[in-house]
């Protein structure tokens, strides 16, 4: 076993003794899940999927479909049109609450059922099959393989989905969508019934972590902006009415579902998914939450942790062939990095003999924030002549 999988295995064994919580039973078919199942998967930038535990077990994606259908709606309609139909405020209420704004009737966010039904209604499609086809194709592109619907879970949810139907009727009465209620609700039930494994969810998570590019297939699935929008909504609303405390304690964008899946994203680092069917009082998997929390603590995943990278871009000084000096910049140049680069340049000015030409080569920077580059240029105005920036 490779060293990272060994770490994952250790985390899994640490949380295995937790046996609190109950398997969801309001959708009859979900109640048949084996409560002891436990799995974890992680996918990094090179697209290698590492997984341990019951990693081949398939379960229905449920609410974890919501961020990905939001991504599709954002791609098809753009942020403003999406926000015309659904808000972006944490609800502090359970997933199936009637969380609608007072006057407009707009659902508060796309991660609770009312908001997810509104989001699904935005997806183009002539009928349920057409719309569901587009949704399943998008989920599949995120996962990097063709996904399928579990027809028995779909039938079970559709047969017992009165509350979601009622929510959809309310939305329609407020003009949030116009088509037939059944078309929208059945599309939503079908999207919730897509079968995934923890490995699929980890790849889907990694696709969000790497700005919309699936690191396994190399395909761009959604734009970097859409991926960022989705992660923003997951950060504030992804863990039902525990979202605030989750951000505080664990600090990662995440989304859970009632079948026991949980997906969490360490932006630019890796995607994580865990699965275990017993749920706590908020509807989040007890053991999957503990797994992600442990990983976050040991791998520094908290979004608000401080990181060196932005403050310390690579600065490599060497003698230039044609005389003078060449300063090659690498990594990412943001506000804090500009300060560091300027300090190095000032030291050079102090130590080099007057008039030494210095070329600052910015071509190898992985990412440059435009404000940072203008700030660096402004620093040049204070430097003696002979400084030159190449981009
Ligand atoms: N299909 C489920 C429902 O709408 C999804 C709920 C969830 O995972 O939060 O009730």
């Amino acid at each position: 076993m490779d060293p990272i999988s060994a770490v994952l295995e250790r985390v899994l064994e640490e949380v295995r003794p937790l046996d609190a919580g109950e398997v969801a039973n309001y959708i009859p078919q979900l109640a048949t899940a084996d409560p002891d199942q436990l799995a974890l998967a992680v996918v990094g930038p090179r697209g290698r999927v590492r997984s341990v535990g019951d990693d081949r077990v398939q379960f229905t994606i449920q609410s974890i479909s919501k961020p990905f259908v939001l991504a599709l709606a954002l791609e098809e309609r753009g942020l403003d049109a999406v926000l015309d139909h659904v808000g972006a405020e944490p609800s502090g209420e359970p997933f199936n609450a009637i969380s609608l704004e007072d006057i407009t009737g707009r659902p508060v966010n796309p991660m609770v059922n009312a908001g997810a039904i509104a989001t699904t209604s935005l997806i183009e499609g002539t009928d349920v099959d057409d719309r569901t086809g587009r949704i399943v194709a998008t989920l599949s592109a995120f996962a990097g393989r063709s996904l399928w619907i579990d027809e028995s879970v779909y039938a079970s949810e559709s047969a017992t989905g009165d509350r979601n139907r009622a929510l959809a009727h309310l939305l329609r009465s407020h003009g949030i969508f116009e088509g037939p209620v059944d078309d929208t609700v059945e599309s939503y039930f079908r999207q919730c019934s897509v079968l995934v494994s923890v490995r699929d969810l980890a790849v889907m998570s990694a696709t969000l972590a790497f700005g919309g590019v699936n690191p396994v297939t190399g395909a761009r699935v959604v734009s970097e902006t859409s991926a960022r929008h989705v992660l923003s909504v997951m950060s504030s609303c992804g863990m039902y009415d525990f979202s605030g405390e989750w951000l505080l304690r664990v600090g990662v964008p995440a989304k859970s579902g009632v079948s026991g899946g949980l997906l969490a994203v360490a932006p630019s680092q890796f995607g994580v998914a865990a699965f275990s069917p017993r749920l706590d009082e908020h509807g989040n998997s007890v053991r999957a939450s503990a797994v992600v929390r442990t990983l976050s603590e040991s791998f520094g995943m908290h979004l608000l942790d401080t990181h060196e990278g932005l403050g310390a871009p690579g600065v490599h000084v060497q003698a230039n062939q044609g005389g003078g000096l060449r300063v090659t910049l690498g990594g990412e140049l943001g506000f804090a990095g500009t300060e560091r680069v300027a300090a190095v340049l000032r030291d050079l000015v102090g130590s080099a003999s007057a008039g030494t030409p210095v070329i600052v080569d910015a071509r190898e920077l992985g990412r440059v924030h435009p404000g940072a580059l203008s700030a660096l240029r402004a620093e040049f105005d204070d430097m003696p002549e002979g400084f030159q920036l190449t981009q």
Side-chain angles (χ1 to χ4, degrees):
M1 185 180 281
D2 67 274
I4 293 188
S5 302
V7 171
L8 302 185
E9 189 74 57
R10 224 175 305 133
V11 173
L12 214 61
E13 292 320 313
E14 215 175 294
V15 308
R16 197 179 288 282
L18 298 175
D19 62 358
E22 300 294 334
V23 175
N25 59 10
Y26 75 101
I27 298 173
Q29 194 67 21
L30 292 184
T32 62
D34 172 359
D36 289 327
Q37 287 169 335
L38 177 61
L40 165 61
V42 169
V43 180
R46 297 162 65 98
R48 176 155 174 205
V49 185
R50 291 185 170 87
S51 58
V52 291
D54 300 308
D55 54 354
R56 310 284 157 166
V57 168
Q58 304 232 353
F59 49 92
T60 50
I61 190 167
Q62 298 298 335
S63 262
I64 303 174
S65 61
K66 293 169 183 174
F68 300 100
V69 177
L70 172 63
L72 177 57
L74 287 166
E75 291 282 297
E76 288 186 353
R77 308 270 186 153
L79 181 62
D80 290 337
V82 169
L83 288 180
D84 282 344
H85 296 82
V86 55
E89 302 303 331
S91 76
E93 289 181 307
F95 68 99
N96 59 2
I98 306 175
S99 295
L100 307 185
E101 285 173 359
D102 276 352
I103 297 172
T104 60
R106 195 178 65 145
V108 287
N109 72 63
M111 300 293 112
V112 291
N113 286 5
I117 293 168
T119 310
T120 300
S121 78
L122 292 174
I123 305 304
E124 281 167 25
T126 47
D127 56 20
V128 179
D129 285 344
D130 192 25
R131 186 179 296 113
T132 309
R134 293 176 70 80
I135 291 173
V136 175
T138 299
L139 296 178
S140 300
F142 269 104
R145 74 172 185 101
S146 293
L147 301 174
W148 305 94
I149 290 172
D150 182 324
E151 293 296 337
S152 63
V153 174
Y154 161 66
S156 183
E157 178 158 3
S158 180
T160 54
D162 291 331
R163 193 175 173 94
N164 283 327
R165 261 185 211 101
L167 284 172
H169 279 286
L170 264 178
L171 294 177
R172 194 164 176 271
S173 76
H174 282 286
I176 299 296
F177 69 88
E178 283 165 5
V181 162
D182 274 350
D183 271 22
T184 297
V185 179
E186 298 306 319
S187 304
Y188 168 74
F189 291 152
R190 290 186 78 71
Q191 86 183 42
C192 289
S193 305
V194 167
L195 278 171
V196 286
S197 70
V198 80
R199 292 171 65 88
D200 295 321
L201 288 183
V203 178
M204 297 172 86
S205 171
T207 304
L208 290 175
F210 299 110
V213 175
N214 183 322
V216 175
T217 62
R220 172 163 293 287
V221 181
V222 292
S223 69
E224 193 173 322
T225 309
S226 294
R228 195 188 66 213
H229 290 331
V230 169
L231 290 178
S232 306
V233 174
M234 283 168 63
S235 302
S236 56
C237 312
M239 295 293 282
Y240 305 118
D241 46 340
F242 190 68
S243 300
E245 193 169 333
W246 175 267
L247 186 60
L248 179 68
R249 289 185 183 276
V250 187
V252 288
K255 185 73 199 88
S256 57
V258 289
S259 53
L262 171 54
L263 163 157
V265 182
S268 311
Q269 291 205 80
F270 51 92
V272 183
F275 165 66
S276 191
R278 286 198 205 91
L279 309 180
D280 64 17
E281 68 275 23
H282 305 285
N284 297 315
S285 164
V286 174
R287 294 197 294 190
S289 300
V291 163
V292 173
R293 187 170 165 174
T294 308
L295 281 179
S296 174
E297 282 162 7
S298 49
F299 286 105
M301 287 165 69
H302 199 298
L303 279 188
L304 299 175
D305 272 346
T306 43
H307 294 285
E308 289 299 306
L310 259 178
V315 184
H316 183 59
V317 183
Q318 67 198 135
N320 212 358
Q321 277 171 353
L325 296 168
R326 170 174 295 267
V327 180
T328 309
L329 306 181
E332 181 165 0
L333 188 68
F335 172 79
T338 304
E339 207 172 82
R340 178 178 138 91
V341 172
V344 172
L345 296 181
R346 267 200 209 93
D347 284 352
L348 275 182
V349 172
S351 57
S353 47
T356 306
V358 179
I359 293 176
V360 181
D361 188 347
R363 287 172 303 179
E364 283 177 30
L365 279 169
R367 179 176 289 229
V368 188
H369 298 276
L373 203 59
S374 340
L376 189 59
R377 263 204 216 94
E379 293 280 353
F380 274 60
D381 294 343
D382 283 348
M383 307 267 177
E385 301 236 339
F387 268 77
Q388 191 192 320
L389 181 70
T390 328
Q391 301 169 242

Short mmCIF file of all heavy atoms in Angstrom, two decimals, residues 306-334:
data_model
loop_
_atom_site.label_atom_id
_atom_site.label_comp_id
_atom_site.label_asym_id
_atom_site.label_seq_id
_atom_site.Cartn_x
_atom_site.Cartn_y
_atom_site.Cartn_z
N THR A 306 -3.49 30.14 6.96
CA THR A 306 -2.57 30.96 6.17
C THR A 306 -1.63 30.04 5.39
O THR A 306 -1.31 28.95 5.84
CB THR A 306 -1.75 31.89 7.08
OG1 THR A 306 -1.32 31.12 8.20
CG2 THR A 306 -2.59 33.05 7.57
N HIS A 307 -1.25 30.49 4.20
CA HIS A 307 -0.35 29.69 3.36
C HIS A 307 0.83 30.53 2.91
O HIS A 307 0.70 31.73 2.69
CB HIS A 307 -1.10 29.18 2.12
CG HIS A 307 -2.19 28.22 2.49
ND1 HIS A 307 -1.92 26.93 2.86
CD2 HIS A 307 -3.53 28.38 2.58
CE1 HIS A 307 -3.06 26.32 3.16
NE2 HIS A 307 -4.05 27.18 3.00
N GLU A 308 1.97 29.88 2.75
CA GLU A 308 3.19 30.59 2.34
C GLU A 308 3.17 30.98 0.86
O GLU A 308 3.68 32.01 0.48
CB GLU A 308 4.41 29.68 2.56
CG GLU A 308 4.75 29.48 4.02
CD GLU A 308 5.09 30.79 4.70
OE1 GLU A 308 5.97 31.50 4.19
OE2 GLU A 308 4.46 31.12 5.71
N GLY A 309 2.57 30.11 0.04
CA GLY A 309 2.73 30.22 -1.41
C GLY A 309 2.54 31.62 -1.97
O GLY A 309 3.41 32.14 -2.67
N LEU A 310 1.42 32.24 -1.64
CA LEU A 310 1.13 33.54 -2.23
C LEU A 310 2.10 34.62 -1.74
O LEU A 310 2.44 35.54 -2.47
CB LEU A 310 -0.29 33.96 -1.84
CG LEU A 310 -1.35 33.76 -2.89
CD1 LEU A 310 -2.72 34.16 -2.36
CD2 LEU A 310 -1.04 34.58 -4.13
N GLY A 311 2.55 34.47 -0.49
CA GLY A 311 3.45 35.48 0.08
C GLY A 311 4.88 35.28 -0.35
O GLY A 311 5.72 36.16 -0.17
N ALA A 312 5.19 34.10 -0.90
CA ALA A 312 6.59 33.81 -1.21
C ALA A 312 6.75 33.19 -2.59
O ALA A 312 7.04 32.01 -2.72
CB ALA A 312 7.15 32.88 -0.13
N PRO A 313 6.57 33.96 -3.65
CA PRO A 313 6.79 33.42 -4.99
C PRO A 313 8.28 33.09 -5.16
O PRO A 313 9.11 33.62 -4.42
CB PRO A 313 6.37 34.57 -5.91
CG PRO A 313 6.49 35.79 -5.08
CD PRO A 313 6.24 35.38 -3.66
N GLY A 314 8.58 32.20 -6.09
CA GLY A 314 9.99 31.87 -6.32
C GLY A 314 10.73 33.09 -6.89
O GLY A 314 10.21 33.79 -7.77
N VAL A 315 11.92 33.38 -6.37
CA VAL A 315 12.75 34.47 -6.90
C VAL A 315 14.15 33.91 -7.08
O VAL A 315 14.82 33.56 -6.10
CB VAL A 315 12.81 35.67 -5.91
CG1 VAL A 315 13.60 36.81 -6.54
CG2 VAL A 315 11.42 36.13 -5.52
N HIS A 316 14.56 33.79 -8.35
CA HIS A 316 15.84 33.14 -8.63
C HIS A 316 16.75 34.16 -9.32
O HIS A 316 16.42 34.69 -10.40
CB HIS A 316 15.56 31.94 -9.53
CG HIS A 316 16.76 31.14 -9.85
ND1 HIS A 316 17.53 30.54 -8.87
CD2 HIS A 316 17.34 30.82 -11.03
CE1 HIS A 316 18.53 29.91 -9.46
NE2 HIS A 316 18.43 30.07 -10.76
N VAL A 317 17.89 34.47 -8.70
CA VAL A 317 18.78 35.50 -9.27
C VAL A 317 20.00 34.81 -9.86
O VAL A 317 20.63 33.98 -9.21
CB VAL A 317 19.24 36.48 -8.16
CG1 VAL A 317 20.09 37.59 -8.77
CG2 VAL A 317 18.04 37.06 -7.42
N GLN A 318 20.33 35.15 -11.09
CA GLN A 318 21.55 34.60 -11.69
C GLN A 318 22.21 35.63 -12.61
O GLN A 318 21.55 36.61 -13.03
CB GLN A 318 21.25 33.29 -12.44
CG GLN A 318 20.38 33.49 -13.64
CD GLN A 318 19.71 32.21 -14.12
OE1 GLN A 318 18.54 32.24 -14.42
NE2 GLN A 318 20.44 31.11 -14.24
N ALA A 319 23.46 35.38 -12.92
CA ALA A 319 24.16 36.30 -13.83
C ALA A 319 23.62 36.08 -15.23
O ALA A 319 23.39 34.94 -15.65
CB ALA A 319 25.64 36.01 -13.78
N ASN A 320 23.39 37.18 -15.93
CA ASN A 320 22.88 37.09 -17.30
C ASN A 320 24.05 36.86 -18.26
O ASN A 320 25.14 37.38 -18.03
CB ASN A 320 22.18 38.41 -17.64
CG ASN A 320 21.04 38.19 -18.59
OD1 ASN A 320 20.79 37.07 -19.02
ND2 ASN A 320 20.34 39.27 -18.91
N GLN A 321 23.77 36.09 -19.30
CA GLN A 321 24.88 35.81 -20.24
C GLN A 321 25.49 37.07 -20.81
O GLN A 321 26.69 37.23 -20.88
CB GLN A 321 24.38 34.93 -21.38
CG GLN A 321 24.37 33.46 -20.99
CD GLN A 321 23.70 32.60 -22.01
OE1 GLN A 321 23.13 33.11 -22.98
NE2 GLN A 321 23.77 31.29 -21.80
N GLY A 322 24.64 38.00 -21.20
CA GLY A 322 25.15 39.23 -21.83
C GLY A 322 25.60 40.25 -20.79
O GLY A 322 25.66 41.44 -21.09
N GLY A 323 25.86 39.85 -19.58
CA GLY A 323 26.22 40.80 -18.50
C GLY A 323 24.98 41.18 -17.72
O GLY A 323 23.86 40.98 -18.18
N GLY A 324 25.16 41.70 -16.54
CA GLY A 324 24.03 42.09 -15.70
C GLY A 324 23.40 40.88 -15.01
O GLY A 324 23.97 39.79 -14.99
N LEU A 325 22.20 41.08 -14.48
CA LEU A 325 21.55 40.04 -13.69
C LEU A 325 20.18 39.70 -14.26
O LEU A 325 19.52 40.56 -14.86
CB LEU A 325 21.36 40.53 -12.24
CG LEU A 325 22.64 40.81 -11.45
CD1 LEU A 325 22.32 41.55 -10.15
CD2 LEU A 325 23.38 39.51 -11.16
N ARG A 326 19.78 38.46 -14.04
CA ARG A 326 18.42 38.05 -14.44
C ARG A 326 17.71 37.53 -13.18
O ARG A 326 18.24 36.66 -12.49
CB ARG A 326 18.48 36.96 -15.51
CG ARG A 326 17.13 36.31 -15.81
CD ARG A 326 17.24 35.36 -16.98
NE ARG A 326 17.56 36.10 -18.20
CZ ARG A 326 16.65 36.55 -19.07
NH1 ARG A 326 15.36 36.35 -18.84
NH2 ARG A 326 17.02 37.21 -20.14
N VAL A 327 16.54 38.10 -12.92
CA VAL A 327 15.75 37.65 -11.77
C VAL A 327 14.52 36.92 -12.32
O VAL A 327 13.67 37.53 -12.97
CB VAL A 327 15.29 38.86 -10.92
CG1 VAL A 327 14.47 38.39 -9.71
CG2 VAL A 327 16.48 39.68 -10.47
N THR A 328 14.47 35.61 -12.11
CA THR A 328 13.34 34.84 -12.65
C THR A 328 12.32 34.61 -11.53
O THR A 328 12.67 34.14 -10.45
CB THR A 328 13.83 33.47 -13.19
OG1 THR A 328 14.92 33.73 -14.08
CG2 THR A 328 12.73 32.74 -13.92
N LEU A 329 11.08 34.98 -11.83
CA LEU A 329 10.00 34.80 -10.84
C LEU A 329 9.23 33.52 -11.15
O LEU A 329 9.02 33.18 -12.31
CB LEU A 329 9.03 35.99 -10.89
CG LEU A 329 9.65 37.38 -10.73
CD1 LEU A 329 8.56 38.45 -10.78
CD2 LEU A 329 10.43 37.48 -9.41
N GLY A 330 8.81 32.81 -10.11
CA GLY A 330 8.03 31.58 -10.32
C GLY A 330 6.89 31.50 -9.32
O GLY A 330 6.83 32.25 -8.34
N GLY A 331 5.96 30.59 -9.56
CA GLY A 331 4.83 30.41 -8.63
C GLY A 331 3.73 31.40 -8.94
O GLY A 331 3.45 31.71 -10.09
N GLU A 332 3.12 31.92 -7.90
CA GLU A 332 1.97 32.82 -8.07
C GLU A 332 2.32 34.19 -7.52
O GLU A 332 2.89 34.30 -6.43
CB GLU A 332 0.77 32.23 -7.31
CG GLU A 332 -0.49 33.05 -7.42
CD GLU A 332 -1.74 32.28 -6.97
OE1 GLU A 332 -1.61 31.11 -6.57
OE2 GLU A 332 -2.83 32.88 -7.02
N LEU A 333 2.00 35.24 -8.28
CA LEU A 333 2.31 36.58 -7.80
C LEU A 333 1.03 37.30 -7.39
O LEU A 333 0.21 37.67 -8.22
CB LEU A 333 3.03 37.38 -8.90
CG LEU A 333 3.57 38.73 -8.44
CD1 LEU A 333 4.72 38.57 -7.45
CD2 LEU A 333 4.02 39.59 -9.61
N GLY A 334 0.88 37.46 -6.09
CA GLY A 334 -0.26 38.22 -5.55
C GLY A 334 0.27 39.42 -4.80
O GLY A 334 1.46 39.74 -4.87
#
